[in-house]
Amino acid sequence: MWFNNAFIYKFTKPFELSADEITNHLQDHLFRPCGSQDQLKQGWVPAIPGTEGLLHAAGNTFLVCLKTEEKILPSSVVKEALEEKVQLIQQERGQKVGKKEQQSIKEEIVQTLLPKAFSKSSRLYAYIDIKNQWVVVNSSSANKAENLLAMLRQCIGSLPILPLKPEQDLMLAMTNWVKNDALPSPFQFASDIELKALDEEAAVAKLKNHDVTEEEVQLHITNGKFVHKLGLVWDEKAKFVINEEAAIKQIKFLDIVKEQTDDVPSDDKLAKFDADFALMTGELNNLLNDLVSVWDVSSGEN
């Protein structure tokens, strides 16, 4: 179990529910497959596929999984069926069909087509860390992350959290790091960077496999662009890209980390999952704490 993205949310009030208490709350919103007339269903499933436990614990870190099933109903199919139906009605009546009636007809068409539609399922993981008092969602989409948190809040009743961000403008801080070649330890520049202008044209420059301290990048900054996304290496253990909203994406833990669980038999899937999850959360939490320290230092410099 290795996260490749991280939206991080910090508790604003102490979160002290136990694993059993969280599990009991999740039981009230278990996943149920879509019925014939359902377009979307969501609910909690076991964190480890093939097991019964909804929640997987590694010390004071709790993993949960939200499953979503959605009926795939292309808008083009609905639109074509609607146009045919409206045209037929207009021919019979000799007058146009109003917007309100068209909407009603569209809803009927959707309900007719839903039982025949294919469905798509997805799983979204997150972990709650009691020690650090944060929630980390393995998603590249802010909307999907917020959706999982909304479901968790609905189950628990209260989830006082805010996105984990520095007090200062992160885009300005990243720009200064690159401009002055002054990235705080234990981070190093990777080879990906995206800059954008803040004027009306909002010109964007994306550079991959590129030394971010070279003259070309400096020229973009001189011409008024700011660093929007920045590739970083953490302590020679992981690579990732961070954006101006402090979302961490494209996380890749390096071999020096992953090989630490090589001695766990690969055929023992439960033990392997548990070892990888404990290792991953430990390293990711260390990365996040180092980021927070860097933010604090950068804030003090401004």
Side-chain angles (χ1 to χ4, degrees):
M1 167 48 61
W2 297 89
F3 280 27
N4 50 17
N5 298 286
F7 275 89
I8 312 102
Y9 302 82
K10 187 75 174 177
F11 284 102
T12 58
K13 295 180 180 179
F15 184 86
E16 299 174 339
L17 293 182
S18 67
D20 288 341
E21 288 172 327
I22 296 173
T23 299
N24 289 335
H25 286 298
L26 298 183
Q27 291 282 356
D28 295 332
H29 294 80
L30 297 177
F31 172 76
R32 297 283 185 269
C34 285
S36 62
Q37 296 300 314
D38 294 320
Q39 194 159 4
L40 184 143
K41 281 283 190 176
Q42 290 185 315
W44 305 103
V45 295
I48 304 178
T51 64
E52 295 182 358
L54 284 177
L55 178 148
H56 177 71
N60 288 320
T61 304
F62 308 138
L63 180 71
V64 295
C65 180
L66 180 69
K67 182 175 180 179
T68 300
E69 181 183 359
E70 183 177 7
K71 294 284 186 69
I72 306 303
L73 200 56
S75 58
S76 59
V77 173
V78 176
K79 181 181 179 181
E80 182 178 355
L82 176 61
E83 289 175 348
E84 291 178 355
K85 183 70 173 178
V86 168
Q87 185 176 10
L88 181 61
I89 293 175
Q90 289 180 162
Q91 289 175 349
E92 292 176 348
R93 296 180 183 174
Q95 61 183 31
K96 289 185 176 182
V97 176
K99 290 184 178 180
K100 187 174 181 179
E101 186 178 359
Q102 284 193 38
Q103 181 61 35
S104 178
I105 295 171
K106 181 180 178 181
E107 291 173 358
E108 292 176 2
I109 290 171
V110 168
Q111 294 303 313
T112 301
L113 294 176
L114 274 177
K116 307 173 186 177
F118 290 103
S119 62
K120 177 180 71 174
S121 296
S122 62
R123 294 170 184 258
L124 187 60
Y125 289 88
Y127 70 81
I128 302 169
D129 188 283
I130 301 299
K131 178 182 177 182
N132 290 290
Q133 288 288 292
W134 56 44
V135 184
V136 181
V137 186
N138 182 18
S139 175
S140 61
S141 163
N143 288 339
K144 290 183 179 180
E146 292 288 351
N147 177 64
L148 181 145
L149 295 172
M151 287 290 293
L152 194 57
R153 185 177 291 107
Q154 184 178 354
C155 294
I156 296 175
S158 175
L159 198 66
I161 55 175
L162 288 173
L164 182 64
K165 295 181 180 181
E167 293 183 1
Q168 65 161 336
D169 188 320
L170 187 52
M171 184 164 59
L172 180 59
M174 292 191 295
T175 303
N176 287 333
W177 293 343
V178 174
K179 179 180 179 180
N180 301 318
D181 191 9
L183 181 62
S185 177
F187 296 94
Q188 296 176 314
F189 292 119
S191 55
D192 296 332
I193 188 170
E194 180 176 313
L195 307 99
K196 69 176 182 180
L198 302 183
D199 55 19
E200 293 182 358
E201 295 182 359
V204 176
K206 298 180 181 181
L207 302 173
K208 291 185 176 294
N209 302 318
H210 199 91
D211 184 344
V212 302
T213 62
E214 285 187 352
E215 184 178 351
E216 181 180 355
V217 176
Q218 297 296 328
L219 186 59
H220 281 298
I221 294 175
T222 301
N223 290 335
K225 293 188 181 69
F226 292 82
V227 178
H228 171 58
K229 297 179 182 178
L230 183 63
L232 298 175
V233 178
W234 169 70
D235 202 23
E236 299 183 352
K237 292 182 179 181
K239 291 182 177 181
F240 62 95
V241 173
I242 186 169
N243 67 18
E244 62 187 275
E245 297 299 325
I248 299 175
K249 303 185 179 183
Q250 301 174 38
I251 303 171
K252 181 180 180 182
F253 289 94
L254 305 182
D255 290 342
I256 191 174
V257 173
K258 288 193 170 184
E259 65 188 11
Q260 294 181 47
T261 60
D262 284 350
D263 59 338
V264 180
S266 58
D267 57 349
D268 190 341
K269 294 183 179 180
L270 182 58
K272 181 65 173 173
F273 187 104
D274 188 44
D276 284 345
F277 177 67
L279 176 61
M280 185 275 295
T281 53
E283 295 293 352
L284 185 52
N285 285 337
N286 287 337
L287 186 162
L288 297 179
N289 277 311
D290 282 345
L291 263 181
V292 171
S293 297
V294 166
W295 292 342
D296 290 342
V297 170
S298 299
S299 296
E301 292 174 350
N302 288 344

